[in-house]
């Protein structure tokens, strides 16, 4: 949806004016027709919004070549939407194209834009910095919700494991992989943005400082969570290897015990002369007794050696 606004000191209100006469244009889940209209009006590259709903979009900040927006810049960061289930749809780009007079915001998360509009910022650069802080807070809130799941998996890894926990570990790792690569790009973008000469006032410089700190917190949190998951994954792997080794030891020991009894019964079952107790009615029971006794002795020995 394409919505036009006029930013003012007292309030930000929708405007019926033409696109070029509005200083704030919001594109929330915009159609291809609306995106093409904005590109034509402001002389933008048609590829600008090709990845506007994709986690594969690249976070960046650089000057814009446009005759309609002199001294313009493009700033791409990421926001977080809680409703979708897949991380690909939760991490959504926020594309901002601006100069001193005009701001265009393209995003799938309308809620963050509306919260920023409610603050009634009259300056475009103030709107952008406030919007960036809200996007960062959304990302941090999403990350912190993963911590209880990490703690649960860590506790489970100390005791045992099952297929459900392994699936949970895989899904959580997948989410953090998306987060990590996204934030690695965004850290460089925020660093470049806060060097913008448009950020002149003391208030704006304070916001830039907060942007930098919040981005560093995001990066540190992601790296900590990834390292925790890596350690949990390693523990799961070691536990599986240990269980498999114990199973193989048990099977080998059981095979040795059975083989001992089979060896005795095999010798006594030979169809040759000279075997003891061949003509005795208790010969079978003597053979069984010897076989079972040897099997028990071997089993006790292996048990004491921790081979079973």
């Amino acid at each position: 949806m394409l919505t036009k606004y006029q930013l003012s000191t007292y309030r930000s209100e929708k405007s019926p004016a033409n696109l070029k006469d509005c200083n704030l244009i919001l594109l929330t889940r915009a159609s291809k027709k609306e995106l093409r209209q904005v590109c034509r009006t402001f002389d933008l590259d048609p590829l600008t919004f090709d990845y506007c709903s994709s986690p594969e979009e690249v976070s960046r900040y650089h000057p814009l070549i446009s005759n309609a927006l002199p001294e313009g810049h493009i700033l791409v960061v990421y926001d977080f939407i809680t409703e979708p289930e897949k991380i690909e749809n939760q991490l959504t780009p926020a594309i901002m194209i601006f100069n001193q007079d005009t701001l265009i915001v393209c995003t799938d998360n309308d809620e963050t834009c509306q919260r920023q509009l409610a603050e009634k910022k009259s300056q475009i650069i103030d709107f952008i910095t406030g919007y960036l802080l809200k996007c960062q807070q959304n990302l941090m809130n999403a990350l912190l919700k993963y911590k209880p799941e990490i703690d649960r998996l860590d506790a489970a890894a100390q005791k045992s494991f099952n297929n459900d926990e392994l699936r949970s570990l895989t899904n959580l790792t997948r989410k953090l992989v998306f987060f990590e690569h996204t934030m690695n790009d965004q850290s460089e973008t925020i660093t470049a943005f806060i060097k913008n000469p448009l950020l002149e006032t003391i208030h704006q410089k304070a916001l830039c400082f907060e942007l930098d700190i919040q981005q560093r917190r995001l990066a540190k949190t992601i790296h900590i969570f990834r390292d925790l998951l890596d350690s949990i994954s390693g523990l799961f792997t070691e536990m599986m290897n240990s269980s498999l080794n114990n199973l193989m030891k048990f099977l080998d020991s059981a095979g040795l015990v059975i083989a001992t009894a089979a060896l005795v019964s095999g010798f006594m079952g030979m169809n040759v002369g000279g075997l003891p107790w061949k003509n005795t009615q208790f010969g079978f029971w003597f053979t069984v007794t010897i076989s079972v006794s040897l099997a028990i002795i071997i089993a006790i020995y292996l048990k004491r050696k921790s081979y079973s």
Side-chain angles (χ1 to χ4, degrees):
M1 182 174 65
L2 189 156
T3 313
K4 298 170 288 184
Y5 290 88
Q6 286 291 347
L7 294 179
S8 63
T9 305
Y10 301 103
R11 59 179 177 175
S12 302
E13 57 183 9
K14 293 183 180 180
S15 172
N18 295 327
L19 282 176
K20 282 194 173 182
D21 297 328
C22 301
N23 58 4
L24 174 61
I25 299 163
L26 295 185
L27 296 163
T28 53
R29 301 184 185 273
S31 65
K32 291 183 178 180
K33 181 180 178 180
E34 292 170 333
L35 295 174
R36 285 196 297 267
Q37 180 186 358
V38 171
C39 288
R40 286 195 304 268
T41 303
F42 294 98
D43 187 28
L44 301 177
D45 189 332
L47 300 178
T48 301
F49 301 112
D50 270 11
Y51 292 89
C52 62
S53 299
S54 171
E56 284 77 29
E57 177 60 285
V58 178
S59 179
R60 61 194 185 276
Y61 175 68
H62 58 79
L64 183 71
I65 301 175
S66 170
N67 294 323
L69 289 173
E71 298 182 359
H73 288 78
I74 181 169
L75 173 64
V76 182
V77 295
Y78 268 83
D79 199 357
F80 191 88
I81 308 175
T82 57
E83 290 82 8
E85 293 183 1
K86 292 187 175 181
I87 187 65
E88 296 93 324
N89 299 324
Q90 291 177 324
L91 282 171
T92 180
I95 302 174
M96 285 165 278
I97 298 169
F98 66 96
N99 63 6
Q100 289 184 335
D101 303 314
T102 306
L103 170 63
I104 302 168
V105 180
C106 180
T107 180
D108 285 353
N109 191 357
D110 182 58
E111 189 268 340
T112 307
C113 292
Q114 295 305 319
R115 283 167 49 206
Q116 184 58 34
L117 280 168
E119 294 190 3
K120 302 174 182 177
K121 299 292 185 182
S122 59
Q123 298 294 321
I124 286 175
I125 200 68
D126 290 339
F127 186 98
I128 293 172
T129 51
Y131 181 75
L132 289 176
L133 285 170
K134 287 177 176 58
C135 289
Q136 288 178 324
Q137 191 58 54
N138 291 342
L139 292 166
M140 180 60 79
N141 291 340
L143 273 176
L144 294 179
K145 289 181 180 179
Y146 297 151
K147 187 59 167 61
E149 179 67 7
I150 294 175
D151 292 339
R152 186 187 71 81
L153 289 172
D154 184 49
Q158 306 294 332
K159 301 175 183 177
S160 62
F161 62 92
N162 55 47
N163 290 336
D164 290 337
E165 288 161 352
L166 289 175
R167 279 191 288 268
S168 296
L169 177 62
T170 301
N171 291 334
L172 190 53
T173 302
R174 183 171 178 273
K175 291 178 181 178
L176 289 181
V177 165
F178 271 94
F179 255 106
E180 184 176 28
H181 286 279
T182 300
M183 289 302 102
N184 285 344
D185 281 346
Q186 185 161 307
S187 294
E188 297 177 4
T189 300
I190 296 297
T191 300
F193 174 73
I194 62 180
K195 295 178 181 178
N196 192 326
L198 292 175
L199 300 165
E200 299 172 344
T201 68
I202 295 177
H203 173 67
Q204 290 169 346
K205 291 180 184 288
L207 289 177
C208 288
F209 181 75
E210 190 174 348
L211 278 172
D212 183 50
I213 294 298
Q214 186 70 343
Q215 190 61 41
R216 290 167 60 187
R217 285 186 185 131
L218 279 168
K220 182 176 181 178
T221 303
I222 291 168
H223 293 151
I224 290 174
F225 286 2
R226 277 300 308 275
D227 289 345
L228 287 174
L229 281 184
D230 287 343
S231 66
I232 294 171
S233 179
L235 184 55
F236 272 125
T237 301
E238 291 300 323
M239 289 181 65
M240 286 189 289
N241 291 339
S242 178
S243 297
L244 183 59
N245 289 338
N246 290 335
L247 176 61
M248 294 306 298
K249 283 201 310 183
F250 172 78
L251 293 176
D252 289 342
S253 299
L256 182 58
V257 171
I258 295 172
T260 302
L263 181 65
V264 175
S265 60
F267 276 123
M268 299 305 293
M270 291 180 180
N271 190 18
V272 294
L275 291 173
W277 315 308
K278 180 179 180 182
N279 299 318
T280 304
Q281 61 177 340
F282 299 108
F284 169 76
W285 297 110
F286 288 152
T287 303
V288 170
T289 301
I290 294 172
S291 299
V292 172
S293 299
L294 287 175
I296 291 174
I297 292 171
I298 294 295
I300 293 174
Y301 175 80
L302 293 174
K303 183 69 175 178
R304 289 180 176 178
K305 291 292 185 180
S306 301
Y307 293 152
S308 61

